[in-house]
C-alpha cells in the first residue's frame, strides 16, 4: 500500500481478519494449556491451522487488493460517465426548450411580417388603381409589388425550412 494513500475499506477488513486470526492463534497458544483438556497435538494442529489461515490472508491480500483497486477505479469511471450523461440529458432538454421558444418566436414574427406585407400590397394596389394612366408610376409600383412578392416567397421558404 502506498504511504500517501488512505487505507480503503478493503484494507481495513483484511487487517481486521488478519488481527483476529493471529489474536485467536495467540489465545489458543497461551490459554490452551489451562483451558483445554485436549492433548497438545490437537492444540498444535489448531494453532497450525490458524497460522496457515493468517498466512493465507496475507498471501491473498495482494491479488485481492489489485482486484479491489481495479473495481474501485471502474466504479469511479461509471459514476463520472453517469454524471456526464445526466449533464448531456439536461443540456438536450434545455436545447429542446430553447428551440421550441425560437420556433414560436419565428412563427409569430413571420405572421406579423405577412400581415404588414398584405397591408402594403393592398395599399400598392389602391395606388395603382388611382393612377392607371401614369406609366412611370405603374412601372415603379410593379417593381415594388414584385419586391413584396419576393419577400412573401422568402417568408414561406423560412416556414418550410423550419418544418424540416
Amino acid at each position: 500500500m502506498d504511504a500517501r494513500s488512505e487505507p480503503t475499506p478493503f484494507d481495513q477488513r483484511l487487517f481486521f481478519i488478519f488481527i483476529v486470526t493471529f489474536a485467536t492463534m495467540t489465545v489458543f497458544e497461551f490459554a490452551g494449556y489451562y483451558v483445554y483438556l485436549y492433548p497438545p497435538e490437537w492444540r498444535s494442529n489448531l494453532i497450525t491451522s490458524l497460522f496457515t489461515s493468517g498466512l493465507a490472508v496475507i498471501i491473498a491480500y495482494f491479488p485481492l487488493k489489485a482486484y479491489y483497486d481495479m473495481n474501485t477505479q471502474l466504479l469511479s469511471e461509471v459514476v463520472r460517465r453517469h454524471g456526464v450523461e445526466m449533464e448531456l440529458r439536461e443540456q438536450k432538454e434545455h436545447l429542446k426548450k430553447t428551440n421550441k421558444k425560437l420556433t414560436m418566436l419565428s412563427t409569430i414574427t413571420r405572421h406579423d411580417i405577412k400581415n404588414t406585407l398584405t397591408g402594403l400590397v393592398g395599399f400598392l394596389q389602391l395606388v395603382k388603381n388611382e393612377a392607371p394612366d401614369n406609366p412611370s408610376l405603374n412601372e415603379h409600383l410593379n417593381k415594388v409589388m414584385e419586391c413584396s412578392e419576393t419577400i412573401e416567397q422568402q417568408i414561406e421558404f423560412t416556414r418550410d425550412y423550419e418544418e424540416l
Side-chain angles (χ1 to χ4, degrees):
M1 187 167 72
D2 193 325
R4 293 170 277 147
S5 66
E6 292 291 319
T8 63
F10 181 77
D11 293 331
Q12 293 169 350
R13 283 187 220 118
L14 277 175
F15 182 72
F16 178 72
I17 292 170
F18 179 76
I19 292 299
V20 167
T21 301
F22 279 101
T24 307
M25 185 177 76
T26 304
V27 167
F28 274 112
E29 178 68 32
F30 292 114
Y33 292 110
Y34 305 108
V35 177
Y36 291 105
L37 303 174
Y38 301 108
E41 301 86 31
W42 190 84
R43 282 195 314 266
S44 177
N45 289 343
L46 182 63
I47 290 170
T48 303
S49 173
L50 287 171
F51 181 74
T52 305
S53 298
L55 284 177
V57 168
I58 292 171
I59 292 169
Y61 169 80
F62 297 104
L64 290 175
K65 173 69 172 149
Y67 180 75
Y68 177 83
D69 288 343
M70 182 182 68
N71 283 342
T72 302
Q73 290 171 352
L74 287 174
L75 178 62
S76 66
E77 180 65 19
V78 166
V79 167
R80 186 189 69 78
R81 287 182 182 196
H82 179 70
V84 168
E85 285 180 19
M86 292 304 295
E87 186 178 327
L88 285 173
R89 284 184 187 142
E90 289 172 5
Q91 289 176 354
K92 186 177 178 181
E93 271 307 305
H94 182 69
L95 188 59
K96 276 182 169 180
K97 288 178 183 177
T98 303
N99 280 338
K100 188 174 181 180
K101 290 177 182 178
L102 286 173
T103 300
M104 183 184 299
L105 177 65
S106 174
T107 302
I108 291 170
T109 304
R110 261 195 325 269
H111 177 76
D112 291 345
I113 291 171
K114 282 183 77 172
N115 281 347
T116 306
L117 193 58
T118 301
L120 177 66
V121 169
F123 285 119
L124 285 172
Q125 194 64 43
L126 286 175
V127 170
K128 192 174 184 180
N129 290 343
E130 288 183 11
D133 53 348
N134 189 342
S136 174
L137 182 61
N138 278 334
E139 185 179 329
H140 292 303
L141 288 174
N142 286 336
K143 292 286 184 186
V144 173
M145 300 257 310
E146 286 176 17
C147 289
S148 64
E149 288 174 6
T150 303
I151 292 171
E152 189 169 356
Q153 289 171 355
Q154 290 171 342
I155 290 172
E156 288 301 316
F157 173 76
T158 61
R159 182 183 56 105
D160 294 340
Y161 186 77
E162 181 181 74
E163 290 176 0
L164 290 177

